[in-house]
Amino acid sequence: MDDLKRRMRDFAERRDWDQFHAPKNLAMALAGEAGELIEHFQWLTEQQSAELDARTLEKVASEIADIQIYLVRLADKLGVSIADAVENKIVVNERKYPVEKVYGSARKYTDYDPSR
């Protein structure tokens, strides 16, 4: 991840684009790219969404890459370690969603934990 972060930072700096990469702008660009990803799935059934043809899969992969690039740039600008943030979030989710309470359920933790 650090190599990718450095490559994306260098890419932006060499083009004088860092001036446009305020966290606000990167977050907005990230949301836009997520919307573009969603477009590929919008009218598909669940089964169709799991069985994309090669052309659509290539487009989806490109959108996933765009999302990752903006996410890495945003994390870099804010000094956030994605790996550490993900690890911390997994620990939080393990506490919020204990297996014995949520197994097989898609309910939100607030539905079974009234203290939240």
Side-chain angles (χ1 to χ4, degrees):
M1 193 65 72
D2 287 336
D3 182 51
L4 182 57
K5 197 182 297 186
R6 280 190 293 277
R7 287 182 66 195
M8 298 292 48
R9 187 184 312 137
D10 181 60
F11 182 90
E13 287 173 356
R14 292 181 60 200
R15 288 156 179 80
D16 194 27
W17 288 354
D18 199 53
Q19 63 179 314
F20 307 117
H21 288 185
K24 170 194 79 73
N25 298 43
L26 292 166
M28 292 169 66
L30 178 61
E33 294 299 337
E36 290 180 22
L37 175 64
I38 290 167
E39 284 181 44
H40 294 288
F41 295 97
Q42 187 171 5
W43 305 114
L44 302 181
T45 65
E46 286 185 33
Q47 183 173 349
Q48 290 170 326
S49 73
E51 299 170 352
L52 300 176
D53 61 71
R55 185 170 180 237
T56 303
L57 185 58
E58 186 177 324
K59 291 177 182 179
V60 165
S62 180
E63 297 303 342
I64 290 170
D66 286 339
I67 290 166
Q68 184 65 34
I69 287 166
Y70 280 124
L71 187 60
V72 167
R73 282 295 288 152
L74 179 60
D76 186 31
K77 294 296 275 189
L78 294 174
V80 171
S81 163
I82 293 174
D84 290 346
V86 168
E87 181 60 36
N88 291 338
K89 188 64 175 185
I90 289 170
V91 170
V92 167
N93 284 342
E94 286 173 339
R95 274 190 253 121
K96 285 169 48 175
Y97 297 98
V99 173
E100 62 277 2
K101 288 187 178 180
V102 303
Y103 185 82
S105 172
R107 292 183 308 152
K108 188 173 178 178
Y109 67 94
T110 53
D111 290 342
Y112 61 84
D113 189 349
S115 68
R116 295 183 189 251

